Amino acid sequence: MRLARDAAEAGSRFKDSILSVMSHELRTPLTVIRGEAEVTLRGKEKPISEYRTTLERIVQLSNQLNKLVGDILFLARSESGTLQINLKPTSLSVILDEVCQETNILARSRSMSATREEASHDAIVQGDPERLKQLFMILTDNAIKYGRPGGRIVMRLENTNEAARVTITDDGLGIPEADLPHVFKRAYRVWRGRPSAVGGAGLGLPIAKWIAEAHHGTISIASALDRGTTVTVECPLSGSQTSRADR
Ligand SMILES: Nc1ncnc2c1ncn2[C@@H]1O[C@H](COP(=O)(O)OP(=O)(O)OP(=O)(O)O)[C@@H](O)[C@H]1O
Ligand SMILES: [Mg+2]
Protein backbone atom coordinates (compact mmCIF):
# COMPACT_ATOMS: atom_id res chain seq x y z
CA MET A 1 0.00 0.00 0.00
CA ARG A 2 2.76 2.41 1.04
CA LEU A 3 4.83 1.33 -1.95
CA ALA A 4 1.96 2.14 -4.30
CA ARG A 5 1.46 5.52 -2.65
CA ASP A 6 5.19 6.31 -2.86
CA ALA A 7 5.19 5.36 -6.54
CA ALA A 8 2.13 7.53 -7.20
CA GLU A 9 3.73 10.47 -5.42
CA ALA A 10 6.96 9.99 -7.38
CA GLY A 11 4.89 9.85 -10.58
CA SER A 12 3.07 13.05 -9.75
CA ARG A 13 6.37 14.73 -8.80
CA PHE A 14 7.73 13.70 -12.20
CA LYS A 15 4.61 15.01 -13.95
CA ASP A 16 5.18 18.37 -12.30
CA SER A 17 8.90 18.31 -12.79
CA ILE A 18 10.58 20.73 -15.10
CA LEU A 19 12.03 17.88 -17.18
CA SER A 20 8.65 16.44 -18.03
CA VAL A 21 7.23 19.88 -18.88
CA MET A 22 10.18 20.52 -21.15
CA SER A 23 10.72 17.14 -22.82
CA HIS A 24 8.95 18.26 -26.01
CA GLU A 25 11.01 21.47 -26.22
CA LEU A 26 14.19 19.43 -25.72
CA ARG A 27 13.37 16.81 -28.34
CA THR A 28 12.23 19.15 -31.11
CA PRO A 29 15.52 20.95 -31.84
CA LEU A 30 17.44 17.66 -31.48
CA THR A 31 15.17 15.97 -34.02
CA VAL A 32 15.57 18.87 -36.45
CA ILE A 33 19.37 18.92 -36.04
CA ARG A 34 19.59 15.20 -36.77
CA GLY A 35 17.14 15.47 -39.69
CA GLU A 36 18.99 18.36 -41.34
CA ALA A 37 22.35 16.59 -41.02
CA GLU A 38 21.00 13.27 -42.34
CA VAL A 39 19.27 14.84 -45.34
CA THR A 40 22.40 16.81 -46.24
CA LEU A 41 24.64 13.75 -45.99
CA ARG A 42 22.28 11.56 -48.04
CA GLY A 43 22.64 11.12 -51.82
CA LYS A 44 24.97 12.94 -54.20
CA GLU A 45 27.51 15.60 -53.26
CA LYS A 46 25.96 19.07 -53.03
CA PRO A 47 27.27 22.57 -53.69
CA ILE A 48 29.31 23.95 -50.78
CA SER A 49 26.69 26.68 -50.14
CA GLU A 50 24.14 24.01 -49.26
CA TYR A 51 26.43 22.53 -46.62
CA ARG A 52 27.02 26.02 -45.26
CA THR A 53 23.29 26.72 -44.93
CA THR A 54 22.76 23.44 -43.10
CA LEU A 55 25.69 24.09 -40.75
CA GLU A 56 24.39 27.59 -39.97
CA ARG A 57 21.00 26.17 -39.10
CA ILE A 58 22.58 23.45 -36.95
CA VAL A 59 24.64 26.06 -35.05
CA GLN A 60 21.52 28.18 -34.49
CA LEU A 61 19.53 25.20 -33.18
CA SER A 62 22.44 24.08 -30.99
CA ASN A 63 22.61 27.56 -29.42
CA GLN A 64 18.87 27.43 -28.76
CA LEU A 65 19.23 23.99 -27.19
CA ASN A 66 22.19 25.12 -25.10
CA LYS A 67 20.18 28.03 -23.67
CA LEU A 68 17.23 25.74 -22.96
CA VAL A 69 19.37 23.12 -21.17
CA GLY A 70 21.02 25.91 -19.12
CA ASP A 71 17.61 27.32 -18.12
CA ILE A 72 16.21 23.87 -17.23
CA LEU A 73 19.26 23.07 -15.09
CA PHE A 74 18.93 26.45 -13.37
CA LEU A 75 15.29 25.82 -12.42
CA ALA A 76 15.97 22.20 -11.43
CA ARG A 77 18.78 23.37 -9.12
CA SER A 78 16.66 26.17 -7.72
CA GLU A 79 13.99 23.62 -6.82
CA SER A 80 16.43 21.19 -5.23
CA GLY A 81 18.03 23.98 -3.19
CA THR A 82 21.49 23.42 -4.68
CA LEU A 83 21.82 26.75 -6.45
CA GLN A 84 24.47 28.92 -4.86
CA ILE A 85 24.20 32.66 -4.76
CA ASN A 86 26.96 34.75 -3.24
CA LEU A 87 25.70 38.02 -1.86
CA LYS A 88 28.08 40.96 -1.49
CA PRO A 89 27.71 44.76 -1.77
CA THR A 90 26.95 45.31 -5.45
CA SER A 91 26.35 48.47 -7.48
CA LEU A 92 23.21 48.21 -9.59
CA SER A 93 24.41 51.14 -11.66
CA VAL A 94 27.46 49.19 -12.83
CA ILE A 95 25.37 46.12 -13.65
CA LEU A 96 22.76 48.11 -15.56
CA ASP A 97 25.50 49.82 -17.60
CA GLU A 98 26.77 46.41 -18.72
CA VAL A 99 23.25 45.15 -19.41
CA CYS A 100 22.42 48.28 -21.41
CA GLN A 101 25.56 47.93 -23.54
CA GLU A 102 24.92 44.26 -24.31
CA THR A 103 21.22 44.88 -24.92
CA ASN A 104 22.04 47.56 -27.47
CA ILE A 105 24.20 45.10 -29.38
CA LEU A 106 21.46 42.44 -29.37
CA ALA A 107 18.72 44.99 -30.16
CA ARG A 108 20.44 46.17 -33.34
CA SER A 109 19.07 43.25 -35.35
CA ARG A 110 15.55 44.63 -34.68
CA SER A 111 16.61 48.30 -35.06
CA MET A 112 15.77 48.81 -31.40
CA SER A 113 17.73 50.70 -28.78
CA ALA A 114 18.07 50.76 -25.00
CA THR A 115 18.75 53.79 -22.81
CA ARG A 116 19.45 54.29 -19.11
CA GLU A 117 17.77 56.71 -16.73
CA GLU A 118 19.09 57.21 -13.24
CA ALA A 119 16.91 59.04 -10.74
CA SER A 120 19.19 58.27 -7.79
CA HIS A 121 22.93 58.50 -7.40
CA ASP A 122 23.50 54.72 -7.36
CA ALA A 123 22.07 51.79 -5.49
CA ILE A 124 24.19 49.35 -3.55
CA VAL A 125 22.42 46.11 -2.73
CA GLN A 126 23.52 42.81 -1.21
CA GLY A 127 23.67 41.01 -4.51
CA ASP A 128 25.26 38.36 -6.68
CA PRO A 129 26.48 40.39 -9.69
CA GLU A 130 26.33 37.46 -12.10
CA ARG A 131 22.77 36.53 -11.14
CA LEU A 132 21.56 40.14 -11.14
CA LYS A 133 22.96 40.60 -14.63
CA GLN A 134 21.23 37.37 -15.70
CA LEU A 135 17.94 38.70 -14.26
CA PHE A 136 18.09 42.01 -16.16
CA MET A 137 19.26 40.33 -19.38
CA ILE A 138 16.18 38.05 -19.21
CA LEU A 139 14.00 41.17 -19.03
CA THR A 140 15.72 43.00 -21.88
CA ASP A 141 15.70 39.80 -23.97
CA ASN A 142 11.91 39.83 -23.63
CA ALA A 143 11.74 43.55 -24.37
CA ILE A 144 13.62 42.90 -27.63
CA LYS A 145 11.74 39.71 -28.60
CA TYR A 146 8.32 41.20 -27.93
CA GLY A 147 9.22 44.73 -28.96
CA ARG A 148 8.49 46.49 -32.21
CA PRO A 149 11.09 47.10 -34.87
CA GLY A 150 12.54 50.53 -34.10
CA GLY A 151 11.15 50.42 -30.55
CA ARG A 152 12.75 51.80 -27.40
CA ILE A 153 13.69 50.13 -24.13
CA VAL A 154 14.18 52.32 -21.06
CA MET A 155 16.05 51.01 -18.02
CA ARG A 156 15.45 53.19 -14.99
CA LEU A 157 17.06 53.02 -11.55
CA GLU A 158 15.76 54.83 -8.51
CA ASN A 159 15.96 54.48 -4.76
CA THR A 160 12.85 54.44 -2.62
CA ASN A 161 13.13 54.62 1.19
CA GLU A 162 14.55 51.17 1.72
CA ALA A 163 14.77 49.59 -1.69
CA ALA A 164 16.42 49.99 -5.02
CA ARG A 165 13.86 49.96 -7.81
CA VAL A 166 14.73 49.02 -11.39
CA THR A 167 12.11 49.31 -14.11
CA ILE A 168 12.51 48.02 -17.64
CA THR A 169 9.96 49.47 -20.02
CA ASP A 170 9.31 48.70 -23.67
CA ASP A 171 6.82 50.03 -26.21
CA GLY A 172 6.15 46.64 -27.76
CA LEU A 173 3.33 44.13 -28.11
CA GLY A 174 2.23 44.13 -24.48
CA ILE A 175 0.51 41.22 -22.72
CA PRO A 176 -3.26 40.50 -22.70
CA GLU A 177 -4.81 41.10 -19.27
CA ALA A 178 -5.95 37.47 -18.99
CA ASP A 179 -2.38 36.19 -19.39
CA LEU A 180 -0.74 38.66 -17.03
CA PRO A 181 -1.30 36.71 -13.75
CA HIS A 182 0.34 33.61 -15.27
CA VAL A 183 3.53 34.84 -16.91
CA PHE A 184 5.78 33.98 -13.92
CA LYS A 185 4.69 30.31 -14.07
CA ARG A 186 7.23 28.06 -15.69
CA ALA A 187 6.59 27.11 -19.32
CA TYR A 188 3.78 29.68 -19.61
CA ARG A 189 3.82 31.50 -22.94
CA VAL A 190 1.44 34.00 -24.46
CA TRP A 191 0.34 33.12 -27.98
CA ARG A 192 -2.07 35.85 -28.95
CA GLY A 193 -0.62 38.36 -31.39
CA ARG A 194 2.90 36.94 -31.32
CA PRO A 195 4.68 35.86 -34.49
CA SER A 196 5.03 32.06 -34.34
CA ALA A 197 8.73 32.37 -35.21
CA VAL A 198 9.51 33.99 -31.84
CA GLY A 199 11.11 31.13 -29.92
CA GLY A 200 11.19 30.51 -26.21
CA ALA A 201 10.20 28.02 -23.56
CA GLY A 202 8.53 30.25 -20.98
CA LEU A 203 11.40 29.89 -18.51
CA GLY A 204 12.81 33.45 -18.50
CA LEU A 205 10.35 35.08 -16.09
CA PRO A 206 10.29 32.15 -13.59
CA ILE A 207 14.09 32.35 -13.43
CA ALA A 208 13.94 36.14 -13.04
CA LYS A 209 11.47 35.72 -10.16
CA TRP A 210 13.67 33.18 -8.42
CA ILE A 211 16.70 35.50 -8.65
CA ALA A 212 14.73 38.53 -7.37
CA GLU A 213 13.41 36.53 -4.42
CA ALA A 214 16.85 35.08 -3.66
CA HIS A 215 17.87 38.74 -3.17
CA HIS A 216 14.92 39.23 -0.74
CA GLY A 217 13.37 41.32 -3.49
CA THR A 218 10.21 41.35 -5.58
CA ILE A 219 9.37 41.40 -9.27
CA SER A 220 6.12 42.55 -10.87
CA ILE A 221 4.83 43.23 -14.35
CA ALA A 222 2.40 45.78 -15.76
CA SER A 223 1.37 45.77 -19.38
CA ALA A 224 -1.11 47.15 -21.89
CA LEU A 225 -1.81 45.23 -25.06
CA ASP A 226 -0.27 46.91 -28.12
CA ARG A 227 1.21 49.65 -25.92
CA GLY A 228 4.05 48.08 -23.99
CA THR A 229 5.26 46.47 -20.81
CA THR A 230 7.05 47.54 -17.63
CA VAL A 231 8.75 45.07 -15.35
CA THR A 232 9.69 46.34 -11.87
CA VAL A 233 12.33 44.74 -9.68
CA GLU A 234 12.84 45.93 -6.11
CA CYS A 235 15.73 44.88 -3.88
CA PRO A 236 16.50 46.03 -0.34
CA LEU A 237 19.32 48.57 -0.25
CA SER A 238 22.49 47.53 1.51
CA GLY A 239 22.47 48.76 5.20
CA SER A 240 24.50 51.96 4.95
CA GLN A 241 22.50 53.17 1.93
CA THR A 242 19.01 53.10 3.33
CA SER A 243 19.31 56.52 4.99
CA ARG A 244 20.72 58.07 1.79
CA ALA A 245 17.83 57.03 -0.44
CA ASP A 246 16.59 59.54 -3.00
CA ARG A 247 19.22 62.13 -2.44
N1 LIG B 1 8.26 42.61 -22.43
C1 LIG B 1 7.30 41.78 -22.86
N2 LIG B 1 6.39 42.19 -23.80
C2 LIG B 1 5.40 41.36 -24.22
N3 LIG B 1 5.24 40.10 -23.79
C3 LIG B 1 6.09 39.63 -22.86
C4 LIG B 1 7.16 40.44 -22.35
N4 LIG B 1 7.85 39.71 -21.42
C5 LIG B 1 7.24 38.50 -21.38
N5 LIG B 1 6.19 38.45 -22.23
C6 LIG B 1 5.26 37.31 -22.45
O1 LIG B 1 5.35 36.45 -21.32
C7 LIG B 1 5.66 35.12 -21.72
C8 LIG B 1 6.61 34.50 -20.70
O2 LIG B 1 7.90 35.13 -20.77
P1 LIG B 1 9.21 34.29 -20.47
O3 LIG B 1 10.39 35.20 -20.57
O4 LIG B 1 9.01 33.56 -19.18
O5 LIG B 1 9.24 33.18 -21.61
P2 LIG B 1 9.64 33.25 -23.17
O6 LIG B 1 10.24 34.59 -23.49
O7 LIG B 1 8.43 32.85 -23.92
O8 LIG B 1 10.73 32.11 -23.30
P3 LIG B 1 12.24 32.11 -22.71
O9 LIG B 1 12.40 33.33 -21.85
O10 LIG B 1 12.32 30.83 -21.93
O11 LIG B 1 13.12 32.14 -23.91
C9 LIG B 1 6.26 35.22 -23.13
O12 LIG B 1 5.91 34.10 -23.90
C10 LIG B 1 5.67 36.52 -23.67
O13 LIG B 1 4.55 36.26 -24.46
MG1 LIG C 1 11.80 35.29 -22.21
Side-chain angles (χ1 to χ4, degrees):
M1 179 88 169
R2 224 188 78 205
L3 274 181
R5 201 180 59 219
D6 287 352
E9 278 172 9
S12 125
R13 268 202 309 277
F14 179 75
K15 246 198 270 149
D16 290 346
S17 84
I18 186 76
L19 256 188
S20 101
V21 177
M22 286 293 124
S23 50
H24 171 76
E25 273 71 17
L26 280 167
R27 280 219 184 89
T28 308
L30 268 180
T31 310
V32 180
I33 288 174
R34 193 176 56 197
E36 297 243 353
E38 279 174 357
V39 168
T40 309
L41 286 173
R42 204 175 292 148
K44 283 200 301 241
E45 291 240 335
K46 301 176 175 65
I48 193 97
S49 62
E50 257 183 60
Y51 292 107
R52 180 180 292 277
T53 308
T54 304
L55 286 176
E56 279 168 359
R57 179 101 181 100
I58 287 177
V59 168
Q60 185 205 348
L61 284 161
S62 307
N63 286 336
Q64 193 183 311
L65 201 53
N66 197 35
K67 173 182 179 292
L68 181 61
V69 169
D71 287 353
I72 290 173
L73 288 177
F74 187 103
L75 281 174
R77 286 200 197 109
S78 73
E79 276 170 16
S80 67
T82 54
L83 201 60
Q84 283 275 321
I85 67 160
N86 302 310
L87 300 179
K88 60 179 188 191
T90 301
S91 156
L92 282 184
S93 220
V94 169
I95 291 182
L96 290 173
D97 277 342
E98 279 180 32
V99 171
C100 189
Q101 253 180 29
E102 288 178 32
T103 299
N104 268 310
I105 294 169
L106 298 171
R108 246 181 250 153
S109 62
R110 305 209 63 216
S111 309
M112 293 178 69
S113 64
T115 50
R116 289 259 283 113
E117 276 179 9
E118 200 143 311
S120 304
H121 175 60
D122 188 2
I124 309 293
V125 297
Q126 287 296 325
D128 181 323
E130 206 183 313
R131 297 289 174 228
L132 285 172
K133 186 170 171 190
Q134 181 183 4
L135 156 59
F136 296 124
M137 286 302 296
I138 285 171
L139 302 182
T140 60
D141 175 61
N142 283 344
I144 297 172
K145 268 201 312 196
Y146 309 110
R148 291 179 195 292
R152 267 169 41 88
I153 301 163
V154 179
M155 304 167 56
R156 183 181 160 86
L157 171 63
E158 65 182 317
N159 290 355
T160 66
N161 278 344
E162 290 187 344
R165 178 184 296 151
V166 177
T167 54
I168 301 203
T169 301
D170 64 66
D171 50 5
L173 300 180
I175 299 170
E177 216 179 314
D179 292 293
L180 216 44
H182 307 291
V183 290
F184 289 104
K185 293 178 187 159
R186 53 186 200 202
Y188 191 88
R189 300 201 75 211
V190 179
W191 293 108
R192 200 180 133 206
R194 264 122 253 252
S196 58
V198 174
L203 299 184
L205 289 180
I207 291 175
K209 185 168 192 283
W210 188 89
I211 298 175
E213 288 174 356
H215 285 79
H216 312 291
T218 58
I219 185 167
S220 56
I221 191 161
S223 190
L225 197 59
D226 295 325
R227 304 264 294 281
T229 301
T230 294
V231 183
T232 303
V233 177
E234 287 195 353
C235 272
L237 286 164
S238 195
S240 59
Q241 275 232 318
T242 47
S243 55
R244 308 187 327 172
D246 258 342
R247 282 191 311 182

